[in-house]
Amino acid sequence: MGILKDRFKVKAEASSAELKDLLKQHGNKKIGEVQLSQIYQGMRGITGLVSETSLLDAKEGIRFRGYSIPELQEKLPKIPGGTEPLPEGLFYLMLIGELPDDEAVAYITSSWQRRSHVPNHVFAAIDALPVTAHPMTMFVTGIMALQTESNFARRYAEGMNKKDYWEAVFDDSMDLLARLPRVAAYIYRRKYRNNQHIQPNGLLDWAGNLAHMLGYEDESFKELMRLYMTIHADHEGGNVSAHTTHLVGSALSDPYLSLAAGMNGLAGPLHGLANQEVVKWIMEMQKELKTEVPTKKQIETYVRKTLSEGKVVPGYGHAVLRKTDPRFTAQMDFAKRHFPEDPLVQIVWNVYDVVPPILESLGKVKNPWPNVDAHSGALLVHYGMVEYEFYTVLFGVSRALGVLASLIWDRALGFAIERPKSVTTELVKSWLQGKDEIWGE
């Protein structure tokens, strides 16, 4: 079946047996309580999902299968002479649960190269949209057009044994991951480069080839893409894009349908679209202050003005984290190594010095620290990618690594269709008055 699929099969069978034993012994154990406020406020903090690929700690940040981002930068394979981890290695880690060697990563790179052909009708579907359409609209359209290639949909229609679901989802996920860089680059070149497209380079790694097809041949930009694709890949299972992919997949929708749904969630301003909002906010600040490099005092005045208008400072705060996002730090370190004198990068760092104390002084913000979105745009602008509407597409290509690895695990472990209980406010009032019982179906 191939070394990756073979190794996953062994891991999945062992995990499935362990899970069955766990549920048999402890299935009735209560793991927490749910408050009424949590139900009304986005289910924040309610434990209701299992996602093996990563875990978010409020104080330590994201860990992929137990490894922090600095550890991944040290331990994951790199290209010869490179300094940043290859995303193929992270995908292997999320899927298998073990650090890969160079051979395993080379196998994934080669497999994605072989699977990367995008049918012409996908480009035609994207071309049918006006060039003014948002890049994420084009991206989701491209994923949906690729759905005609789904192994899972075909095999399910033919009559497939439940024990084989994971294998079809595995093949679809590998195909999708192989093709997404081509789709993303096509959108970028269509919208921003006069429809002048660049063919894939079959000798390059996954992220390096994406950089090439986008039209950026600077080796440090390729390194940035390797880092970017690694640190944006996953953020446990409860965020909108991950949860949506899992939810839609639980209905046995194939990976194309599931990922497209997740990407529609990523396109929201409160999720993946935030990275374009950061650059937009900085550019608006420069314009209003009539300076390319505002001082910290000017930034402070503008931040207070932003907050007084009932707006948020984009890139600051996180639903779970209570410290500076390690993904922000990784990008800051990259900039310090490659272009510390860049004016926009220096603005990002000055904002980092100014904003947290202001937010802390308000006494309303649990996390005044920057998240991943606060820095990523500035790095891309340095290389000339000023089209900030496209940034979320790059985020989406990366996030596909984590959500599709999780989807493979969902089917391997036989997770059921997701169907939480909902209630009405009238029933809640009745329950609070002791007239009715709302919990349970």
Side-chain angles (χ1 to χ4, degrees):
M1 287 195 292
I3 62 168
L4 189 62
K5 189 181 283 187
D6 287 341
R7 291 176 185 177
F8 177 81
K9 186 174 186 292
V10 172
K11 291 287 184 179
E13 288 175 349
S15 294
S16 181
E18 182 182 27
L19 178 60
K20 288 178 182 177
D21 184 59
L22 190 71
L23 291 175
K24 184 178 180 180
Q25 293 188 52
H26 305 289
N28 294 326
K29 185 175 181 179
K30 294 182 179 180
I31 62 170
E33 296 180 349
V34 177
Q35 298 174 359
L36 189 59
S37 61
Q38 290 178 295
I39 297 174
Y40 277 97
Q41 297 171 359
M43 298 193 290
R44 190 63 49 82
I46 297 175
T47 300
L49 294 168
V50 173
S51 181
E52 305 289 3
T53 50
S54 64
L55 183 66
L56 183 57
D57 183 273
K59 296 181 179 179
E60 296 301 322
I62 188 70
R63 285 185 176 271
F64 298 86
R65 294 287 192 171
Y67 293 95
S68 67
I69 284 176
E71 289 172 332
L72 294 180
Q73 290 179 284
E74 175 191 349
K75 298 177 183 295
L76 286 179
K78 306 168 180 64
I79 65 164
T83 59
E84 302 301 338
L86 286 163
E88 292 94 323
L90 179 62
F91 181 73
Y92 181 98
L93 174 64
M94 290 189 292
L95 196 65
I96 304 300
E98 300 172 357
L99 287 169
D101 56 19
D102 291 342
E103 181 183 2
V105 169
Y107 173 85
I108 296 176
T109 298
S110 176
S111 179
W112 286 350
Q113 289 168 341
R114 293 194 310 271
R115 294 169 179 260
S116 64
H117 174 71
V118 176
N120 286 334
H121 73 264
V122 176
F123 301 129
I126 295 171
D127 288 342
L129 294 168
V131 74
T132 55
H134 194 282
M136 282 300 288
T137 303
M138 298 186 194
F139 189 52
V140 172
T141 298
I143 295 171
M144 288 299 297
L146 275 170
Q147 194 271 341
T148 58
E149 310 302 296
S150 174
N151 294 283
F152 185 91
R154 174 181 53 80
R155 291 180 62 183
Y156 189 87
E158 293 170 351
M160 178 172 43
N161 193 303
K162 288 183 178 181
K163 66 180 179 63
D164 296 325
Y165 285 173
W166 75 265
E167 190 177 345
V169 169
F170 177 97
D171 285 331
D172 274 359
S173 297
M174 291 289 283
D175 288 344
L176 244 177
L177 289 168
R179 293 161 175 167
L180 286 177
R182 180 79 169 97
V183 171
Y186 186 89
I187 292 166
Y188 182 76
R189 302 295 297 186
R190 174 181 186 248
K191 186 172 177 69
Y192 304 113
R193 294 295 182 269
N194 199 31
N195 224 22
Q196 299 298 307
H197 299 288
I198 299 173
Q199 292 301 310
N201 181 342
L203 300 178
L204 289 172
D205 58 280
W206 187 71
N209 195 30
L210 171 60
H212 161 73
M213 290 186 290
L214 288 169
Y216 296 86
E217 297 296 351
D218 190 305
E219 288 302 318
S220 65
F221 184 84
K222 292 175 182 175
E223 285 285 81
L224 174 61
M225 283 295 97
R226 293 173 187 122
L227 174 65
Y228 188 103
M229 292 294 140
T230 297
I231 65 176
H232 286 81
D234 208 38
H235 220 226
E236 70 172 35
N239 66 77
V240 171
S241 55
H243 186 194
T244 302
T245 305
H246 163 81
L247 170 63
V248 175
S250 78
L252 296 187
S253 299
D254 63 64
Y256 296 88
L257 300 175
S258 303
L259 181 65
M263 292 301 98
N264 278 316
L266 192 72
L270 295 183
H271 193 16
L273 208 68
N275 54 17
Q276 78 172 47
E277 295 298 313
V278 172
V279 175
K280 182 180 177 183
W281 180 81
I282 290 176
M283 290 180 174
E284 288 173 348
M285 176 173 64
Q286 291 172 313
K287 183 178 180 180
E288 182 166 323
L289 297 176
K290 296 181 174 60
T291 176
E292 288 296 311
V293 187
T295 65
K296 289 185 181 181
K297 187 64 178 176
Q298 288 175 309
I299 292 173
E300 179 180 350
T301 301
Y302 189 78
V303 167
R304 292 189 183 279
K305 177 177 177 291
T306 298
L307 296 172
S308 69
E309 293 171 348
K311 302 174 184 177
V312 299
V313 178
Y316 281 77
H318 192 275
V320 180
L321 281 173
R322 295 296 175 262
K323 62 171 283 185
T324 297
D325 193 331
R327 300 172 299 174
F328 175 93
T329 305
Q331 293 179 105
M332 183 167 65
D333 291 343
F334 182 93
K336 286 180 177 179
R337 292 197 308 273
H338 292 277
F339 38 86
E341 303 303 319
D342 182 278
L344 186 58
V345 162
Q346 291 187 351
I347 291 175
V348 169
W349 297 344
N350 285 337
V351 170
Y352 179 33
D353 289 337
V354 168
V355 169
I358 295 175
L359 294 180
E360 280 185 310
S361 69
L362 298 176
K364 299 178 181 178
V365 181
K366 291 182 179 179
N367 174 30
W369 306 106
N371 57 50
V372 66
D373 299 315
H375 209 308
S376 55
L379 304 183
L380 298 169
V381 169
H382 172 81
Y383 290 99
M385 186 179 281
V386 297
E387 303 88 1
Y388 53 75
E389 281 191 331
F390 184 76
Y391 296 170
T392 309
V393 174
L394 291 179
F395 196 160
V397 174
S398 174
R399 183 52 55 91
L401 291 165
V403 300
L404 291 175
S406 289
L407 199 61
I408 297 168
W409 271 106
D410 290 347
R411 298 290 74 77
L413 297 177
F415 285 170
I417 186 171
E418 188 173 301
R419 186 16 180 123
K421 172 68 176 172
S422 67
V423 295
T424 65
T425 298
E426 285 302 313
L427 193 54
V428 168
K429 291 177 180 177
S430 180
W431 171 71
L432 292 173
Q433 294 169 4
K435 296 178 182 178
D436 218 331
E437 172 65 48
I438 70 170
W439 313 121
E441 191 72 274

